[in-house]
Amino acid sequence: MPRLTEEQIQAIVAAARPERLSDPGKRPIPEDHVAHIVQLARWGHAGLAADHLLFPEIGGSLPSVVGGVIRELGLRVAWTPGPVEHGPAAEELVRTRRFAYETLLEIALNFTGLESRWLPEDEKRRAVESIRHALAEWEVQEAAEGPATVAAAVVRHFLGRLKLVQKGAAMVAQSAVRIEKMLDFRKPVLLTFLDEAFREITQNIYTRLVRDGICRFGNDYALGLRWLRHLGFEQVSTNPVLAALAYQDDPGLRGAFQVDVRMHPMFAAWSRNPQQSSDAIALYATLGALWDNLHVYRPIFFNLAQESGGGVVSFQLNPNIAHRVRESVDDAFAAADAVAENLRVYDGYLLAGYPTVRERARPNMVIKVAASPPAAREIARTINRFGLGSNITLVYAAAQEVTMILEELAGMAGAVRKGILPTQLYMTNMGGRFESHLREVTLEALFGQLRSTLGESAALARVEQLAASNGSKAAVDRVPGYEAKVVAATRYAAQRKIDGNVSAALAGVASDEELKTWEDAIGRSGTLVARRVWTLFFSPKNWEKWVAYLCRRHELARDDATLILGRICYLPASKRKPEDTYWALATANMVHTEFPNHQENVRRMAESDGFRIADYRESITGEFPAQIVEVLNRIPDFRHGYELNPELNAILQEAGITGDFGTGGLAPDQWPEFGPVQKTLAEFKGAYDTFRDDVLKLFAEVAAPQPLTGPVAARGEKADVRRAG
């Protein structure tokens, strides 16, 4: 019988799917860690099997448990004598070998990464050495059967998954490319793969920053999380744009949604009128993109629960109802129920055999609350009062952020008084989008001056010149009128900074030096807001003042007030350049959320000549030259974003915080009209609507045609989505 070819083995490896943990007859084996891990491996849950060993209670027996796993996999799974030939038995052998290899590789990577920092170092080292010996032996055994091996296919599959992230532009994708270049697939590859993975993990700048306690990090994307977890990443942010991108990057999500949605209790009702149920279906599809995120960070959530409270997934609901309190809170609770149901099954396997003191029912999820309408204040306060947790988004202005931090504090105070441990909370600072908005309005003003100086015809020629150079010509040609064409040519998607192309277009209105001054100042605007707000709440000089304020204002004990203040992390996001990360590092109350290609830029900057980590320690406390603010103050929207308002100044004074913070900051009723709020909200709404339409098409492919019988009650849909997963 002819042997399987390399292509056939790779196809079987790629097609193998884990068995459903919730299927009848399946159960954990809590009385035996080895048997439990082997069972998970045989079911195809290599990551879960490896993560079962990430809890400190396993300390003292780690090498023996890993040795037992190696023994059982070698006897029952990996070792089957004879060549890999065609037929069902051969395909089953490929699948079982795949999951055996993957389980040991995932354990070794976990023990190399920072997610295992709670485990004894010597025990991890001994366990990894045992794994290396086993993998080497198994791969040699396979190679003796013929040149095509499951081991090589597993490595290719692993690297291929990483290379999917952001279509190859992500830092994790670039790590995969570098590792792959070091592999010779004509020879055994497993140990070389582990060596190169070890180097990529331990030498990465993010690993060094987290390991040395300089700052904490999260991912602003829904894919690539297990690898980032090895580097110390502890959080993931999502929004409608990122949910849609996850489905585009990973075709497997589309198929998984179509399989899972058939088993949803509302499937029949949704099938009768999908359009009527479109938001409920989109909510379920969004959660489908997050199950793996929640699972990857579940061990971090449990191990950090009493410390920093990390390990959470930020989940943004329908942006079209962000202004409606009751509907937003209802959706938040429905999503939390659905997540809790999914995690109930998952935790039964992850924590089998461990003490039950952990609060297993708590989802490692926080709700992203869009601070575009004033209703965000009540939404955030309400969900935090119930201990769910929030991540405030669509925020660019210091006044917005200070207001919403106060609401988060008030909500957590209500939870603590009822004995509820608050979930980790975040205050997102969308500094990059603020910066882009300021650049756009500045360029619009300068091109307005250009028209006054040259006349509209000549000025329009300059706009078209810029459009030709930055790739926005088609967008410019589509819109009528000078102002609209300027907008099309200068939006961030086309013009990311004030460069030589802009200088050429604005010749005669602004000198190269003036434009450089503008770019230098605008590029620091988001960091200025971040430094102001972080310092107001979390600097050593103000920390104790806020603890005292919380005790007075909310009648809290000092320990509770300290706990609450420690639960909020500032979350710089939407960065445009690596300096945006390095300018805002802090040991306390800081978690950066990084887009995958931005991570790669941060990594490359760390490898540049003259770079020193020490230069950026506690950089959030740094100061830019005074002239930076002087230049930016010429832009009205910068003052709206950087200054506070009289109401907030009064609260700061009550808390004992002194300083001149201005009075031109936004009041809550002005938030919806702020330029960057409008731009981002329009993008999010557009992305959500497109994603919802795409999901409905996927749903239509599996929904059985049925006659319309009338609308499905929206409240019933929300109540039943909690049973998903």
Side-chain angles (χ1 to χ4, degrees):
M1 187 178 294
R3 285 183 46 81
L4 294 176
T5 66
E6 179 180 323
E7 291 75 15
Q8 290 170 327
I9 291 175
Q10 289 179 12
I12 296 170
V13 166
R17 293 290 181 268
E19 298 180 32
R20 292 177 63 89
L21 297 174
S22 56
D23 283 348
K26 285 188 166 55
R27 66 173 186 86
I29 308 178
E31 64 275 9
D32 187 337
H33 287 299
V34 171
H36 180 63
I37 292 169
V38 170
Q39 175 175 261
L40 288 172
R42 297 181 69 178
W43 290 345
H45 291 274
L48 173 56
D51 288 356
H52 180 71
L53 295 174
L54 286 178
F55 298 96
E57 293 91 336
I58 201 73
S61 59
L62 193 60
S64 62
V65 170
V66 171
V69 170
I70 292 170
R71 176 184 179 276
E72 294 295 322
L73 290 179
L75 286 173
R76 304 183 183 189
V77 180
W79 169 253
T80 301
V84 182
E85 299 177 337
H86 286 289
E91 293 186 11
E92 180 61 22
L93 175 58
V94 171
R95 284 191 289 269
T96 54
R97 282 182 173 176
R98 170 198 166 171
F99 294 135
Y101 283 131
E102 283 187 345
T103 298
L104 293 194
L105 289 173
E106 292 288 3
I107 293 173
L109 292 173
N110 280 354
F111 290 173
T112 299
L114 291 180
E115 65 265 68
S116 63
R117 55 190 179 273
W118 299 277
L119 302 177
E121 291 297 326
D122 180 62
E123 291 189 29
K124 290 191 294 182
R125 180 188 58 76
R126 289 159 55 197
V128 171
E129 281 302 310
S130 298
I131 288 171
R132 290 175 63 90
H133 285 300
L135 291 175
E137 179 182 292
W138 294 355
E139 192 170 14
V140 167
Q141 169 193 309
E142 263 209 291
E145 298 171 1
T149 66
V150 179
V154 164
V155 171
R156 289 186 188 276
H157 182 70
F158 183 97
L159 296 175
R161 294 283 298 167
L162 289 183
K163 290 191 289 185
L164 284 175
V165 183
Q166 213 180 359
K167 296 180 173 57
M171 179 181 69
V172 298
Q174 292 302 304
S175 287
V177 170
R178 288 190 294 273
I179 291 172
E180 192 170 48
K181 287 180 179 177
M182 303 303 294
L183 302 178
D184 183 350
F185 285 95
R186 296 167 298 181
K187 301 176 181 178
V189 295
L190 292 178
L191 297 192
T192 305
F193 166 77
L194 282 179
D195 289 340
E196 293 303 315
F198 177 83
R199 183 182 58 79
E200 287 284 335
I201 292 168
T202 57
Q203 295 184 16
N204 189 282
I205 181 60
Y206 287 104
T207 304
R208 293 152 64 195
L209 290 168
V210 175
R211 183 189 60 215
D212 296 343
I214 295 174
C215 206
R216 295 155 59 193
F217 295 92
N219 193 46
D220 210 358
Y221 213 72
L223 299 177
L225 298 182
R226 284 192 72 86
W227 186 265
L228 290 172
R229 195 185 70 183
H230 301 326
L231 310 183
F233 281 64
E234 63 171 58
Q235 181 266 354
V236 56
S237 295
T238 61
N239 57 43
V241 176
L242 299 181
L245 288 173
Y247 273 82
Q248 292 170 20
D249 283 1
D250 186 358
L253 283 175
R254 304 169 74 86
F257 165 75
Q258 291 183 315
V259 170
D260 292 343
V261 77
R262 285 178 178 271
M263 291 175 280
H264 193 283
M266 290 296 293
F267 178 70
W270 289 348
S271 297
R272 286 192 290 272
N273 193 340
Q275 195 65 44
Q276 179 77 21
S277 307
S278 59
D279 285 329
I281 297 171
L283 173 61
Y284 182 67
T286 306
L287 288 171
L290 299 185
W291 295 137
D292 186 60
N293 294 198
L294 292 157
H295 298 164
V296 166
Y297 280 122
R298 199 64 173 160
I300 308 300
F301 179 73
F302 283 130
N303 285 324
L304 288 177
Q306 301 299 327
E307 298 179 24
S308 60
V312 301
V313 177
S314 295
F315 171 50
Q316 185 167 337
L317 296 173
N318 182 354
N320 292 321
I321 61 171
H323 59 292
R324 299 203 287 267
V325 174
R326 182 55 186 263
E327 290 185 34
S328 294
V329 173
D330 282 352
D331 271 3
F333 289 172
D337 279 352
V339 169
E341 179 65 18
N342 177 278
L343 292 175
R344 181 188 62 77
V345 175
Y346 191 81
D347 289 350
Y349 291 91
L350 178 67
L351 296 170
Y354 289 113
T356 58
V357 294
R358 295 179 175 85
E359 186 186 354
R360 300 189 184 188
R362 180 187 290 262
N364 55 319
M365 178 182 75
V366 296
I367 300 299
K368 293 188 82 171
V369 178
S372 47
R377 302 177 70 177
E378 186 176 349
I379 295 170
R381 193 167 59 249
T382 300
I383 63 177
N384 280 295
R385 196 170 69 244
F386 285 89
L388 183 55
S390 61
N391 178 355
I392 310 302
T393 188
L394 268 82
V395 277
Y396 319 84
Q400 270 184 304
E401 295 176 10
V402 172
T403 298
M404 293 305 297
I405 287 176
L406 291 170
E407 298 294 358
E408 288 188 311
L409 292 172
M412 281 194 289
V416 166
R417 285 196 297 267
K418 297 191 291 283
I420 300 172
L421 177 68
T423 301
Q424 175 73 76
L425 276 69
Y426 300 96
M427 169 53 62
T428 294
N429 165 255
M430 303 182 83
R433 289 180 179 267
F434 182 53
E435 169 190 321
S436 293
H437 170 71
L438 296 182
R439 183 179 295 107
E440 289 163 2
V441 297
T442 299
L443 289 176
E444 289 168 28
L446 289 170
F447 275 99
Q449 295 177 29
L450 185 70
R451 179 170 60 177
S452 298
T453 302
L454 301 182
E456 182 161 322
S457 178
L460 184 57
R462 296 281 191 89
V463 174
E464 292 172 344
Q465 170 188 322
L466 177 62
S469 65
N470 66 18
S472 63
K473 185 178 185 304
V476 169
D477 290 344
R478 279 196 300 268
V479 294
Y482 181 79
E483 290 87 352
K485 291 181 181 296
V486 168
V487 168
T490 57
R491 280 296 178 264
Y492 175 74
Q495 193 60 49
R496 303 207 163 191
K497 64 180 181 178
I498 300 175
D499 57 13
N501 294 327
V502 174
S503 296
L506 290 173
V509 171
S511 68
D512 290 351
E513 188 61 32
E514 289 172 321
L515 293 174
K516 182 179 181 303
T517 298
W518 274 120
E519 178 61 32
D520 187 51
I522 290 171
R524 299 168 193 255
S525 55
T527 300
L528 283 167
V529 173
R531 287 179 172 179
R532 167 160 282 186
V533 177
W534 185 92
T535 299
L536 283 174
F537 283 96
F538 309 120
S539 61
K541 68 176 182 178
N542 289 337
W543 176 277
E544 288 296 332
K545 296 175 183 178
W546 284 112
V547 169
Y549 172 84
L550 290 171
C551 291
R552 294 193 310 270
R553 181 70 176 80
H554 298 289
E555 300 179 349
L556 297 173
R558 175 181 171 77
D559 287 349
D560 289 337
T562 301
L563 169 66
I564 287 172
L565 196 57
R567 283 294 178 181
I568 296 184
C569 276
Y570 204 69
L571 193 77
S574 68
K575 305 176 188 78
R576 304 314 198 202
K577 53 191 177 301
E579 289 85 354
D580 292 340
T581 293
Y582 288 119
W583 285 339
L585 300 180
T587 302
N589 298 90
M590 181 71 76
V591 176
H592 281 256
T593 183
E594 311 272 80
F595 212 59
N597 60 343
H598 176 82
Q599 296 162 14
E600 177 64 7
N601 292 334
V602 168
R603 187 195 67 81
R604 290 179 180 179
M605 181 172 168
E607 295 184 355
S608 62
D609 292 341
F611 177 89
R612 298 193 320 142
I613 291 179
D615 294 340
Y616 299 99
R617 187 179 290 271
E618 301 297 344
S619 58
I620 192 69
T621 63
E623 295 184 1
F624 293 134
Q627 57 264 36
I628 296 295
V629 175
E630 293 173 4
V631 171
L632 289 170
N633 274 334
R634 303 177 204 166
I635 309 173
D637 275 0
F638 172 75
R639 296 197 301 274
H640 294 325
Y642 189 56
E643 297 182 5
L644 300 185
N645 57 48
E647 177 187 357
L648 293 176
N649 285 331
I651 295 174
L652 293 181
Q653 186 175 7
E654 180 185 352
I657 312 297
T658 59
D660 180 7
F661 309 113
T663 59
L666 299 174
D669 61 354
Q670 296 174 309
W671 295 353
E673 304 305 317
F674 195 39
V677 170
Q678 292 184 332
K679 292 173 182 176
T680 305
L681 190 59
E683 179 185 344
F684 282 7
K685 284 184 175 181
Y688 174 82
D689 292 344
T690 300
F691 175 66
R692 182 182 57 194
D693 292 344
D694 289 344
V695 166
L696 285 179
K697 293 176 184 176
L698 291 175
F699 184 84
E701 293 174 4
V702 298
Q706 298 183 32
L708 295 179
T709 59
V712 178
R715 186 171 299 277
E717 292 168 8
K718 291 178 181 177
D720 284 325
V721 75
R722 68 192 65 190
R723 295 200 294 267

